[in-house]
Amino acid sequence: MSDTVLATRGLGMSFGGLRVFAGIDFALARGERHAVIGPNGAGKSTFVAIVTGLLRPTAGAVLLDGHDVTRSSAGERVAAGIVRTFQINTLFPSLTPLESVVLALCQRDKQARPSLRALRRCTAQIDEAADLLERFGLADDAQLPTQELAYGQQRLLEVVLAYALRPRVLLLDEPAAGLSTTQGHALFERLAQLTEGTTLLFIEHDMNIVFRYAQRVTVLAGGSLLAQGTPDEIRAHAGVRKAYLGN
């Protein structure tokens, strides 16, 4: 399909004799917000790791805009436009948000990674980083060490760093992990506004967040893709209610 930016065909993954999943046919439409859900152990993080090149599947293919990227490295996929955040915070605690974003922009622009002392010469990247931090509500804390930011701000900074790379597909691995319900909804409210038009794929356990912010949902369970559809279709799916939603 011309509007499909990311797809998998017959995707399977096993670790020795342990089969995580098999036969996953997945499609992500350009510009949509798409959630991947499922019980613990369903293979959600493994699926994202395969899509982003951190793991190589034991079967099947990963396609980006119709091109097979199954054997492409994680770095090659970032360059091609598949960018992710992680469930566990991966920031540099001693750097400021401004320094971190400028470094990310220099990577995107294929500049030799400057030393922190030389960052002040990266004027175009500094201006763009300041604009991004303003848009995401982090401008007031742009000069603080990242370790001094509130946890919710750190999660938001991770998204800024990924978004700065101008991804064709932005993958978020449980971005609301560690946040209160109110904080999680506030984060997704901001993401929905600021990433409008960006193809967004996210893993999330909070079904209130999933059903409020996802336009489509994929359910992994029992080693296979159980269902894929709109939030209303997933709510009404008898197999999903039995396997995951508990009703």
Side-chain angles (χ1 to χ4, degrees):
M1 294 174 60
S2 61
D3 65 343
T4 298
V5 61
L6 180 70
T8 67
R9 296 289 179 264
L11 199 68
M13 187 66 190
S14 298
F15 296 99
L18 175 63
R19 191 188 78 168
V20 181
F21 50 67
I24 302 296
D25 291 331
F26 169 84
L28 178 65
R30 199 179 314 278
E32 76 174 354
R33 294 192 302 273
H34 195 124
V36 176
I37 67 172
N40 290 334
K44 302 181 296 297
S45 292
T46 299
F47 175 77
V48 169
I50 291 173
V51 166
T52 54
L54 295 178
L55 291 174
R56 183 168 293 179
T58 51
V62 179
L63 306 175
L64 179 65
D65 276 328
H67 300 288
D68 192 327
V69 296
T70 312
R71 295 187 175 276
S72 299
S73 68
E76 289 169 337
R77 294 191 206 191
V78 170
I82 301 176
V83 182
R84 70 169 293 179
T85 65
F86 290 84
Q87 181 179 351
I88 299 173
N89 193 314
T90 57
L91 300 170
F92 294 104
S94 61
L95 297 186
T96 69
L98 184 63
E99 290 168 338
S100 295
V101 178
V102 170
L103 287 172
L105 293 173
C106 288
Q107 174 188 346
R108 182 201 69 193
D109 295 340
K110 296 182 173 57
Q111 293 190 7
R113 181 170 177 173
S115 66
L116 292 180
R117 182 176 297 178
L119 280 182
R120 68 186 63 184
R121 296 197 295 268
C122 302
T123 55
Q125 287 81 11
I126 289 172
D127 289 344
E128 185 175 353
D131 179 65
L132 282 169
L133 291 169
E134 177 72 35
R135 288 176 58 197
F136 280 82
L138 293 171
D140 290 345
D141 299 312
Q143 301 288 358
L144 289 177
T146 294
Q147 60 195 359
E148 295 183 17
L149 299 181
Y151 186 70
Q153 291 175 302
Q154 293 184 27
R155 299 311 306 243
L156 189 57
L157 177 58
E158 288 184 297
V159 176
V160 175
L161 291 169
Y163 187 73
L165 300 181
R166 296 176 185 166
R168 292 156 78 181
V169 178
L170 177 57
L171 297 102
L172 308 179
D173 191 351
E174 298 193 38
L179 302 179
S180 68
T181 299
T182 299
Q183 291 171 327
H185 278 276
L187 173 64
F188 268 89
E189 189 71 39
R190 178 164 284 173
L191 291 179
Q193 295 171 354
L194 294 174
T195 61
E196 183 69 32
T198 300
T199 306
L200 189 65
L201 178 65
F202 64 93
I203 296 174
E204 182 53 55
H205 284 292
D206 188 328
M207 290 301 98
N208 289 323
I209 287 177
V210 168
F211 290 139
R212 182 169 178 177
Y213 296 104
Q215 295 163 318
R216 296 182 73 225
V217 181
T218 289
V219 185
L220 300 179
S224 64
L225 195 158
L226 178 60
Q228 188 173 73
T230 66
D232 286 343
E233 289 169 340
I234 296 302
R235 281 194 190 97
H237 193 287
V240 174
R241 293 202 307 270
K242 181 178 179 180
Y244 186 51
L245 299 180
N247 53 40

